[in-house]
Amino acid sequence: MTELHPDLRENVRLLGELLGQSIRQYPGQDCFDLIEEIRAAAKADRRQESGSGQRLIQLLSQLQDDQLLPVTRAFNQFLNLANLAEQYHGVRRKRGHQSDLMVESLGEVFERLQGKGISAAELHQRVRELRIEFVLTAHPTEVTRRTLILKYDEMSDCIARLDHDDLLPAEREEIIQRLRQLITEAWHTDEIRYERPTAVDEAKWGFAVIENSLWQALPRFLRSLDQALVAATGDGLPMDAAPIRMASWMGGDRDGNPNVTHEVSQQVFLLGRWMAADLYLRDIQALRAELSMWQASDELRAQVGDSREPYRTVLAGLRERLVKTRDWAEARINGEPADATGILFENSDLTEPLELCYRSLVDCGLETVANGPLLDTLRRAHTFGLPLIRLDIRQEASRHAEAVAEMVDYLELGDYLAWTEEERQRFLIRELQSRRPLIPRDWQPSEAVREVLATCEVVAGQTPEALGSYVISMASKPSDVLNVILLLRESGMKHPMRVVPLFETLDDLTGAPDAMAALFALDWYRGYCRDHQEVMIGYSDSAKDAGQMMAAWAQYQAQEQLTEVAGRYGIHLTLFHGRGGTVGRGGGPANRAILSQPPGSVNGSFRITEQGEMIRFKFGLPRLAEQSLTLYTTAVIEATLSPPPAPEPEWREAMDWLTERSLKAYREVVREHPDFVPYFRQATPEQALGKLALGSRPARRKPSGGVESLRAIPWIFAWTQMRMMLPSWLGSDVALAQAAEAGRLPLLKDMRARWPFFRTYVDMLEMVLAKSDLRIASYYEKTLVEPGLRPLGEDLRQRLAGCIEQVKALKERDTLLQDEPVFAHSLRVRNPYTDPLHYLQAELLRRDRESGEGGQVPEMVERALKVTMAGIAAGMRNTG
């Protein structure tokens, strides 16, 4: 059995000890002793010592209302500290290793590709043209408050400083004292948000990730990419290369979120410019100190005359314009008169003076200086630009159709919504080719349509670098895309913005290839998109609609067919993967997922959402961000140059056979079983999730309604909290069992061995099953579910146990996670801390429901309930 790495164990022990000291000070020794007794009982219970389970439940049920909060908070805090230690351990230097990152280095991957016969010229071209875009989304899964995140970041920094062999005792004590202060501050800080963050708050949180982490990580990553490329091909990255881009949905995603209006989007665009100007100002100040040289090229002299410090003169002019830009953005944000004279607006306003300095230094033989901090700033300028982040806009297809319909109706041209798809397309293309505006001056649209048009006007006022994609959810036909292009053009849009249909339900995915073929068949549209198209694949809604196995196969086939359709029309396709943090929403190790995509579908470009707490786990610290950028880049390059083989016909047939059964089994329970919705409501904390002020979006698309109206995130959050993990395995249990009965196991083993897609699917399923816990799920049911609904729970638990057996048989292993000992041990370490939170949560939900029916829930009970949700989310390392 693999133990934790000694350094990691020591860090976990140290953090736990310091937390214990804080608890002893407040609420006191008695509380500390009680917590230790609960922890010991939970450990004994996990070792299945006789009577230990009863002891644990007895201890927890005897807690007074005033003891509930400190006990739940202690376990929650410990789990957050354990995460922090693990996160740091994931990026600590591997001593004696050629790369100081814990992932395969760029150089190692380049070497392997060249070993497979990829020429230096092809490798260089592919890396130079690489386009990877991360889209930060504030899905309501980041439970931890920003205040605490900042404290945790500083704690990580302290652990890094302790990780040196040459510290003097006094230096070591000074760092531990700072850690003690931070842990005490965290212990005395309320971990629960009481107000939901606004969409603007979420956007600021996204900017903070850039400021605190990516601003340092990105130039360091590009430096290492440049060095690896020179070593492999003899030629480095061009100065203006921007293989990595950052985009965001925070403040732009209005699908089902009435809180995101055109004013919010405008505010976020301006905040981005303010933040960018502020960050570049800091860079320019530092560069003025660096570039004190007097030699300069004739080109630079032509601009600054005979100045003794030519570079400082150029940078002083840039600094002045950045200050004006920042002041202008601030005035606009505050709704005050703003002077736009002399501000930096187009990206070239920023990059040209910096490139002038760079060329001059190289011309004067000062290449070493040119390739220092100046090059880092230039690379930031080409990546983040003056807008800092590219804002995506997302809106539902029907909202655009309604806007066009109102216009058509006002102009007395007919009933647009009653027209056939062909009639709509003919009308839209005729209007798009016409030079006259369609919207009449005196027209008064309805409130909803006015909002759609106002958003288009805000978008039209931005530079191309400020815009990501216009994503259309529930898109299914060419007119859905053309509607948006027409509305943007009518609002004054001068350059073609990427318009991206999102296919997310099972029916959408199945229809996607035909829908795109119909769009590509329009000559006008191919000219508009300049032979480049992005298509978004939704992972969460398809899994909620059809079950995880069916959804994964439908996504794979849709991507395969979309790649083929784009190839037929000579269009470069970029797939935008709308993945979540959990397996039920397409999450899991990124490089494995990318390397198991259909061959040809990762063609040098890749776009992916990073959601909620996963942003912190992947990009929260500079070294962590550098590691994540390396991981994604190597996977995208490898999937492009050395894609996996196409599945063999009998594998496809086997997937069709499996998914036909998994879909039926999933829907029979989720859609058709009369007890399912009441069981779900009673057995999980779904009804109480609204109490957590997680994000700016409502948990439901429609206030009333069953499972289908619930967003994918709370749907998964609720099942994760009680450890049934149902969305990720339901349906697979039946399919795998029937495959074994039909003698198909040897074929499935062959698929697992030779087909990355199926291997990744089985590994992700195993990971989720390892997080499930039959005893805990059974305890929730016993505590919360009325007797008449329990037979369904009993059946589901038996099916979960059966699914675990099927996966072990398929992998030929005695236990789950035998090939992932570190992950398995990490789960075991967390159990004694998450178990008490689960048992307490069930008890608190019972009290909450009982008092909720006839009176006021005590505040301590409600607060403790929220803390258990946050703590379990931390223990599981993901929420939704």
Side-chain angles (χ1 to χ4, degrees), residues 170-311:
E171 291 174 324
R172 184 178 166 77
E173 188 41 50
E174 189 185 329
I175 299 168
I176 289 176
Q177 180 54 24
R178 180 59 185 148
L179 257 180
R180 186 179 287 118
Q181 288 162 358
L182 288 164
I183 288 174
T184 306
E185 287 172 16
W187 177 242
H188 289 269
T189 300
D190 197 336
E191 54 273 86
I192 298 301
R193 288 199 205 104
Y194 292 96
E195 279 82 44
R196 278 186 181 277
T198 65
V200 172
D201 292 335
E202 290 173 335
K204 286 179 179 169
W205 185 81
F207 296 151
V209 173
I210 294 180
E211 177 187 10
N212 299 327
S213 173
L214 285 162
W215 197 255
Q216 291 84 39
L218 183 103
R220 279 184 54 175
F221 162 73
L222 290 176
R223 202 169 275 282
S224 65
L225 180 59
D226 183 54
Q227 286 161 356
L229 200 56
V230 169
T233 68
D235 197 1
L237 278 179
M239 187 170 54
D240 59 354
I244 304 288
R245 298 274 169 89
M246 302 306 296
S248 170
W249 277 15
M250 305 182 206
D253 178 12
R254 55 242 315 124
D255 176 29
N257 189 352
N259 304 315
V260 179
T261 59
H262 70 280
E263 292 101 339
V264 164
S265 297
Q266 178 65 23
Q267 181 97 333
V268 169
F269 279 124
L270 290 166
L271 276 166
R273 286 189 176 270
W274 181 91
M275 183 87 236
D278 195 61
L279 286 167
Y280 289 119
L281 264 171
R282 299 176 213 174
D283 271 22
I284 298 304
Q285 301 283 40
L287 283 174
R288 287 192 78 227
E290 292 263 338
L291 303 184
S292 51
M293 290 65 67
W294 46 268
Q295 295 115 309
S297 65
D298 294 347
E299 183 192 17
L300 195 135
R301 285 277 169 214
Q303 283 224 3
V304 297
D306 54 3
S307 161
R308 253 176 291 179
E309 295 185 318
Y311 301 97

Side-chain angles (χ1 to χ4, degrees), residues 248-382:
S248 170
W249 277 15
M250 305 182 206
D253 178 12
R254 55 242 315 124
D255 176 29
N257 189 352
N259 304 315
V260 179
T261 59
H262 70 280
E263 292 101 339
V264 164
S265 297
Q266 178 65 23
Q267 181 97 333
V268 169
F269 279 124
L270 290 166
L271 276 166
R273 286 189 176 270
W274 181 91
M275 183 87 236
D278 195 61
L279 286 167
Y280 289 119
L281 264 171
R282 299 176 213 174
D283 271 22
I284 298 304
Q285 301 283 40
L287 283 174
R288 287 192 78 227
E290 292 263 338
L291 303 184
S292 51
M293 290 65 67
W294 46 268
Q295 295 115 309
S297 65
D298 294 347
E299 183 192 17
L300 195 135
R301 285 277 169 214
Q303 283 224 3
V304 297
D306 54 3
S307 161
R308 253 176 291 179
E309 295 185 318
Y311 301 97
R312 285 180 167 174
T313 307
V314 171
L315 293 171
L318 197 51
R319 183 183 60 183
E320 198 178 312
R321 292 187 70 186
L322 279 166
V323 170
K324 280 183 179 170
T325 307
R326 190 178 60 179
D327 293 350
W328 163 83
E330 192 166 343
R332 288 277 313 270
I333 290 163
N334 297 332
E336 294 160 6
D339 180 8
T341 348
I343 66 164
L344 302 172
F345 196 68
E346 301 287 344
N347 253 23
S348 53
D349 296 344
L350 172 66
T351 54
E352 280 169 9
L354 293 171
E355 285 175 357
L356 175 65
C357 293
Y358 185 90
R359 283 195 301 273
S360 172
L361 287 165
V362 172
D363 288 352
C364 298
L366 295 171
E367 208 160 327
T368 314
V369 177
N371 288 326
L374 173 60
L375 182 59
D376 288 347
T377 299
L378 256 170
R379 291 216 161 119
R380 288 181 187 118
H382 284 297

Side-chain angles (χ1 to χ4, degrees), residues 548-549 552 728 732 756-766:
Q548 181 61 26
M549 184 185 254
S728 302
S732 306
F757 162 76
F758 191 67
R759 180 165 57 248
T760 302
Y761 173 73
V762 174
D763 290 348
M764 295 301 104
L765 177 58
E766 178 188 33

